[in-house]
Amino acid sequence: MDINALRALPKAESIRAMEVLWESLTDGAGADDVVPAWHQQVLIARLAQLEAGGATPIPWEDAKERLRVLSAQSRSS
């Protein structure tokens, strides 16, 4: 599949294709090469904050909606 075929996909299919690609990159051997060390440090800090009661998780669907709103706002700015 070339870039033009990817650009022609509906948004939902594009997102799913991206998820599949990311899973293939991070699954198994070599995943540490794809995910930078600083990402791991951020995750460790956030998990510690969560475990200490300093953060409240939200459902994934709510998080995605927040990101959609922020994305739309940044495009309109």
Side-chain angles (χ1 to χ4, degrees):
M1 180 176 282
D2 68 7
I3 191 70
N4 290 325
L6 288 171
R7 287 184 176 135
L9 289 174
K11 189 65 69 177
E13 288 182 43
S14 295
I15 291 170
R16 181 63 191 137
M18 182 179 60
E19 290 171 346
V20 169
L21 180 59
W22 183 252
E23 287 171 13
S24 74
L25 289 171
T26 59
D27 186 29
D32 292 338
D33 297 338
V34 176
V35 179
W38 69 270
H39 280 198
Q40 186 66 26
Q41 294 303 315
V42 169
L43 290 173
I44 290 168
R46 289 183 181 174
L47 283 172
Q49 185 181 28
L50 181 64
E51 290 170 357
T56 305
I58 63 171
W60 177 233
E61 291 303 318
D62 293 351
K64 287 193 295 187
E65 183 58 30
R66 284 186 187 184
L67 291 171
R68 283 186 195 102
V69 168
L70 289 171
S71 177
Q73 288 173 350
S74 69
R75 282 182 286 193
S76 65
S77 301

